[in-house]
Amino acid sequence: MNELRRRWVGKALPRREDRAFLTGEARYVADLPATRALHMRVVRSTAAHARLSSIDPGSALAMPGVVAVFTAADLSGSVGCLPLQPAAGAEIAEVPLPLLAESKVRFVGEPVAVVLAESETLAEDAAALVEVELDWLHPVVGLDDAVSGGTLVHEELGSNRALFWRAASGSFEEVRAGAAMVVRGSFEIPRLAAAPMEPRGCLAEFDKDTGAFDLWVSAQDPHRPKAQLAEVLGVDPESVRVRLPAVGGAFGSKGALAPEYALAAWCSRRTGRPVRWIEDRSENLSSSYQGRGIAAEMELALDAGGGFLAVRGRVRADLGAYLYPTTAVVPVTVGGLLCGSYRIPVADVEVEGYLTNKVPTGPYRGAGRPEAAYLVERMVDMAARATGIPASELRRRNFIAPEEFPYRSALGLTYDSGDYRRAYDAAEEVLEVRRESLEAHLGSGAVLGSGLALYIERAGPAFWERGTITVDPAGRIIASSGSASNGQGHATSFSQVVADEFEVDPEQVVVVEGDSADGDGVGTFGSRSMTLGGEALAVASREVLELAGTVAAELLEADQADLRYASGAFHVAGSPEREISLFEAAGAAKRVTGQELSLTRRFRSQGPVFPYGAYGAVVEVDPQLGLIRLHEVVAVDDGGTVVNPLLAEGQVIGSTLQGVASSLLEEVVYDADGQLQTGTLASYLVPSAVEAAYGIHSEFIETPTPYTSLGAKGMGESGTIGAPAAIANAVADAMAKLGAEPLEAPYSPERVWRHLAAGAGSGPETNGGDLG
C-alpha cells in the first residue's frame, strides 16, 4: 500500500510512563499485596573463605512467628545451580553459583541459610540468631594471588583460572620486528557496584494444585529469570510465570536470576505460602554481582607515519568466587573490542579470568565496552605523546572510513556502519571552545587538562526479539514486546514506532511488557531494545496492516491492490467516500478471515550492530589539594535512527554520570582478608546532584544500521562507555603538564595528591616509547 511516512519517529515526545512514578501510582515488588506471605531473610557468610562447620538454627526457630530455617541440606536433590551461558570461543570452568553454600563459603555475603517468618522485622531478627560456625581459610583477594595459585578457591579445578579466550589475526611478533615504534601500557580498572535505586526483590507463589510458579521480580526482563528458574528447580518452563512490576533501575545487575529468587520460589513450594524477599542496601552492595575488575597489558605497533600496524592485549579478569550465567561474557567482550574504531590489520588478544574470594562479577552498564574503550583510547593518547603526533591527527589517520563499512576487524567482529571522523570532529570542535573559555578563568596554581576518546559498542546481543500487535475494535492498538523497561521509556518510544506504521496517534497505542505469559522473548540489555524489540513491533505492525487490508477489501467489495491507507483508514483509490477505519476492520476480522487482527512475529538480525560516539572532557587539577574538578563533558553519539531525542538525551545524561562516577568516585574495595570496605553508601560513593554539577553538551548524528528498517542501533550505555576514557585522557593531559605519569581511576583527591607528591615520573613516555 502506502510508503511509510514517519511522523512520530524522531519526535521528542515526553515520557508517558512518568506520571505513575511521580504520583506514587507505580508499584514495586515491595508494594505488591500478598495474603499470608512469609518474609524471607538470608543468612550470609561473614568470611571470605572458610569451611562451613555447622549451622544451628535453634535460637531462631524458638522465636514466635518464625516458620522455618532452611540450609543446603534441605535443598539437596531438589535444586540445581544457576546455568552458565557460554561465551563464544571461550573455555569456561564449571563453577556455577549454588543457591546455598554447602561445605565451604567463598565470599563475604554468600548465602548459607534462609529464615522464613511472619514479618520482615522478625525474619531479620531471627536471621541474626542463626549460629554459623566457620573455620576460616586464607582468602584469594587480588589477581596476583589468584594467578599464583598458592591458595585455590575451588580445589577441584587445580588452578584459579576459570576462563580463557584468544583471538588472533596475523603475527604480532613479525609486525613488531619491522615497526617504527611499539607503545606499551599497563592498566587496572577497579570493580564497581551497580547500586540501583531499588535493590533486588521478589514475591514467589507456588500453586500446589496446578504445580505452577508465579514469580514477581525486580528484573530487566521476565524471560531469562523464567528459563533459569525452570532449570534450577527442574520443572517445565511452561509451569513458570514471571512478571515485572515497576523496576527501580538495574544497570545490568538484574539480568540473571538472583539465587535469592530461586530460594523464594523453592520456599513457597515447600511451605505452601507466598514468600517475599526484599534486599537491603548492604546486601545489595555485598551480594549482588559487581562489574568491571580487570588488569591489562597492552601493546600498539606503529609505522613511521603513525599508522597502526598491530595490537596485542593480555587481559586478566577478576571473576569472583563463582560464575553467574553471564559472568564469562563480559571479559570476552572486552577482548573482542580491542581494535576499537581503528584500522588495525593485526591483532593478538588473550583474556584470562581468575577466581577470587569476592562476590562474582557480571554485566554492569556497558559490560565490557567501557573497559575496552578505556584501554584502546588510553593507548592511542600514549602513542600520540610517544610519537609527537597530535592525538587528534593520529586518530584521523587510523579511523575506519565510512566507505569501508561493513568492516571486519582483525578480532573477527563485523561493524555495520559508521562515520567515526564526523563524530570526532564534532566533539573536538565543541571541546576546543569549552577549553579556551575555561582557560581564561583558570585559578592560580591550577592546571587544566582536556581529553577526547571515541568508543564503539557491540549491541543487539542474541539477535532476535518478539513483537505482538493486536488491533482492538474499541480503538486501541496493543503492542506487546519481549523487551521490558526498567527505566528506558519503552511505553513512549515503542508507541511512536507503532503509531508511525499505522499512521495513528501514539496515544492510541498501548505498550504491554514484562509478563512471560504474553509470549516469549529475550529481554532488555546490551542496548538491544529498540534495535530488535522496536523492529519486531514494526515488522508485526506491517503484517497486521496487510491483514487489515484483506478485511477492508472484502468489506468495501474492492480489490486490495486498489486500496489506499492513510491516517488509520482504508479507502478505494479514486473514491474517498468508500472508506473503512482500521478499527472497523478489526471488528470484522474474525468473520471475514477467521482470525483476530493480531499477529506475533520474531525479528532476527543478521548480527550485532555497533553504536559509537566521541566524548570529550575538560578537568581542572589543583595540585596542592589533589582535587580534580570536572568542568565539561562533550558527547556526540551515533545510535543510528533516533526514535525519541528526548529519551535518547536522557540516556546520555544518565549514562555519562555513571561514567563520571566510575572515574572520580566509585570503587569497590576489599581488604586483605576479603572483607568488603565499601558496604554502605557512606563508603561506596554514588554521585549526588553536587557531583553532577558539570556542563554537558550532547548531540546526535545518525548513520542507520542496514540490518533493520528502523535503522536504530541503541543508546543506553553511551556515556558509561565514552566518558571514562575521555576523562582519563584529560587527567593524563593535566598530569603531563605537571610532569607526572598518568594514574588509574578513580581519581580521588588522596590518590591524586599522593601521586603528585611522590613525583611520579617525568611524563608518559616512560610507560610507552620503544623505538624500532
Side-chain angles (χ1 to χ4, degrees):
M1 283 174 281
N2 296 350
E3 288 295 318
L4 175 64
R5 295 174 295 176
R6 285 181 173 171
R7 176 186 176 193
W8 299 110
V9 168
K11 192 168 184 179
L13 300 185
R15 288 165 47 105
R16 62 164 65 175
E17 48 268 270
D18 284 352
R19 177 179 176 81
F21 294 108
L22 294 172
T23 60
E25 296 172 16
R27 292 292 178 265
Y28 299 86
V29 169
D31 301 321
L32 299 176
T35 305
R36 298 180 60 249
L38 293 171
H39 295 265
M40 186 178 87
R41 188 71 178 175
V42 181
V43 181
R44 300 184 182 276
S45 171
T46 57
H49 195 197
R51 292 185 183 88
L52 184 54
S53 297
S54 65
I55 301 174
D56 183 358
S59 298
L61 288 170
M63 296 179 66
V66 174
V67 174
V69 177
F70 295 121
T71 66
D74 298 295
L75 273 59
S76 181
S78 63
V79 300
C81 295
L82 295 179
L84 300 183
Q85 177 182 326
E91 302 170 16
I92 303 172
E94 291 288 332
V95 282
L97 179 68
L99 300 191
L100 292 174
E102 193 165 347
S103 59
K104 286 184 70 175
V105 293
R106 293 182 170 88
F107 65 91
V108 172
E110 181 173 1
V112 298
V114 293
V115 174
L116 300 178
E118 299 291 351
S119 74
E120 186 174 4
T121 302
L122 181 57
E124 184 169 1
D125 290 343
L129 295 180
V130 175
E131 297 178 13
V132 180
E133 186 175 338
L134 300 171
D135 295 330
W136 289 44
L137 301 169
H138 179 73
V140 179
V141 179
L143 272 171
D144 288 341
D145 286 344
V147 173
S148 71
T151 299
L152 299 181
V153 179
H154 293 267
E155 294 90 341
E156 67 275 15
L157 295 182
S159 80
N160 286 318
R161 195 176 81 170
L163 165 69
F164 179 76
W165 178 88
R166 184 173 187 268
S169 175
S171 169
F172 182 87
E173 289 297 336
E174 289 181 7
V175 173
R176 170 188 160 77
M181 177 174 287
V182 176
V183 180
R184 298 187 185 88
S186 299
F187 307 94
E188 291 186 8
I189 299 174
R191 281 179 169 231
L192 299 176
M197 185 175 291
E198 178 205 21
R200 299 173 299 171
C202 69
L203 175 63
E205 185 168 8
F206 176 73
D207 187 328
K208 65 179 181 180
D209 295 326
T210 63
F213 291 89
D214 194 1
L215 184 67
W216 288 89
V217 295
S218 181
Q220 291 171 227
D221 59 80
H223 309 293
R224 289 175 293 170
K226 172 181 175 174
Q228 292 165 5
L229 180 63
E231 185 161 345
V232 169
L233 297 181
V235 300
D236 185 344
E238 294 310 306
S239 70
V240 177
R241 181 183 186 182
V242 176
R243 289 182 278 179
L244 275 56
V247 177
F251 312 117
S253 70
K254 296 178 182 177
L257 178 77
E260 293 87 352
Y261 296 175
L263 285 168
W266 183 91
C267 288
S268 179
R269 181 171 63 182
R270 179 69 173 259
T271 63
R273 293 175 63 178
V275 173
R276 189 195 308 270
W277 174 69
I278 304 297
E279 182 180 54
D280 65 28
R281 180 60 61 187
S282 64
E283 283 184 295
N284 181 262
L285 289 170
S286 66
S287 305
S288 180
Y289 60 74
Q290 298 165 356
R292 315 290 194 259
I294 69 164
E297 300 289 331
M298 298 288 296
E299 295 178 88
L300 179 64
L302 299 88
D303 64 23
F308 297 164
L309 299 175
V311 64
R312 177 156 62 184
R314 297 293 181 260
V315 178
R316 297 188 303 178
D318 178 350
L319 304 178
Y322 303 94
L323 301 187
Y324 260 88
T326 50
T327 295
V329 174
V330 179
V332 170
T333 299
V334 177
L337 291 172
L338 288 183
C339 285
S341 54
Y342 304 102
R343 191 189 307 105
I344 305 178
V346 172
D348 183 345
V349 175
E350 284 186 4
V351 176
E352 294 180 304
Y354 287 89
L355 299 167
T356 61
N357 289 117
K358 303 177 192 171
V359 66
T361 55
Y364 167 64
R365 196 171 192 172
R369 290 85 161 176
E371 299 94 302
Y374 180 90
L375 296 174
V376 171
E377 294 301 300
R378 285 294 302 120
M379 287 297 294
V380 174
D381 261 35
M382 289 170 61
R385 290 197 174 94
T387 62
I389 301 172
S392 57
E393 175 59 26
L394 190 62
R395 286 184 168 88
R396 291 186 179 97
R397 292 183 190 183
N398 291 283
F399 279 145
I400 300 161
E403 62 271 16
E404 295 180 81
F405 291 95
Y407 178 88
R408 184 173 176 83
S409 81
L411 289 169
L413 295 176
T414 299
Y415 305 169
D416 56 333
S417 64
D419 191 343
Y420 299 153
R421 178 167 181 166
R422 179 186 172 196
Y424 189 81
D425 287 351
E428 185 180 46
E429 182 179 353
V430 176
L431 186 70
E432 182 65 20
V433 173
R434 297 290 196 269
R435 185 184 62 78
E436 289 179 356
S437 174
L438 288 164
E439 279 183 338
H441 301 92
L442 191 63
S444 176
V447 173
L448 211 62
S450 63
L452 280 155
L454 199 138
Y455 78 86
I456 57 169
E457 176 187 0
R458 184 179 187 270
F463 308 152
W464 73 271
E465 192 53 271
R466 171 190 61 87
T468 301
I469 295 292
T470 302
V471 181
D472 183 347
R476 304 182 307 162
I477 299 171
I478 301 168
S480 172
S481 174
S483 293
S485 176
N486 47 83
Q488 292 83 357
H490 292 169
T492 303
S493 56
F494 283 170
S495 72
Q496 292 175 253
V497 171
V498 174
D500 262 355
E501 296 293 338
F502 287 101
E503 297 185 33
V504 299
D505 193 289
E507 294 300 318
Q508 293 176 266
V509 180
V510 177
V511 176
V512 176
E513 54 187 345
D515 188 342
S516 66
D518 291 334
D520 64 359
V522 179
T524 303
F525 58 97
S527 297
R528 68 187 307 279
S529 291
M530 187 54 68
T531 302
L532 301 174
E535 185 71 11
L537 289 173
V539 169
S541 295
R542 291 167 202 152
E543 295 195 26
V544 166
L545 194 55
E546 286 293 325
L547 182 60
T550 302
V551 177
E554 179 74 18
L555 297 176
L556 293 170
E557 298 180 342
D559 192 299
Q560 190 167 348
D562 294 330
L563 291 187
R564 301 294 180 267
Y565 180 84
S567 301
F570 297 91
H571 70 270
V572 180
S575 303
E577 73 281 356
R578 295 176 62 192
E579 181 181 271
I580 183 171
S581 77
L582 171 69
F583 301 104
E584 289 172 329
K590 184 77 171 179
R591 172 171 55 84
V592 173
T593 66
Q595 67 178 92
E596 304 289 347
L597 209 54
S598 178
L599 288 174
T600 294
R601 290 292 179 264
R602 279 188 176 192
F603 170 75
R604 183 174 293 276
S605 173
Q606 67 187 70
V609 297
F610 288 82
Y612 65 94
Y615 275 65
V618 182
V619 301
E620 177 185 338
V621 179
D622 182 337
Q624 299 303 314
L625 299 176
L627 184 65
I628 291 183
R629 179 184 177 190
L630 176 65
H631 282 285
E632 191 77 29
V633 173
V634 176
V636 179
D637 288 290
D638 186 346
T641 301
V642 178
V643 172
N644 187 313
L646 182 65
L647 270 64
E649 186 173 11
Q651 291 291 330
V652 170
I653 291 171
S655 63
T656 296
L657 181 56
Q658 285 191 265
V660 169
S662 68
S663 297
L664 302 180
L665 297 168
E666 296 185 26
E667 179 182 18
V668 172
V669 178
Y670 288 85
D671 68 13
D673 294 322
Q675 295 292 321
L676 182 67
Q677 301 299 293
T678 49
T680 72
L681 293 183
S683 52
Y684 187 80
L685 303 179
V686 174
S688 67
V690 174
E691 287 77 34
Y694 51 84
I696 183 166
H697 170 92
S698 172
E699 64 177 88
F700 303 111
I701 62 175
E702 296 185 10
T703 54
T705 177
Y707 296 168
T708 72
S709 63
L710 276 175
K713 294 184 180 181
M715 196 74 72
E717 297 166 289
S718 52
T720 315
I721 307 171
I727 294 170
N729 283 342
V731 171
D733 180 46
M735 291 294 117
K737 292 175 182 178
L738 292 167
E741 291 187 19
L743 73 163
E744 303 295 335
Y747 307 116
S748 66
E750 180 183 4
R751 180 174 292 181
V752 173
W753 185 86
R754 290 185 181 280
H755 182 73
L756 292 172
S762 58
E765 288 77 14
T766 60
N767 193 32
D770 179 16
L771 292 175

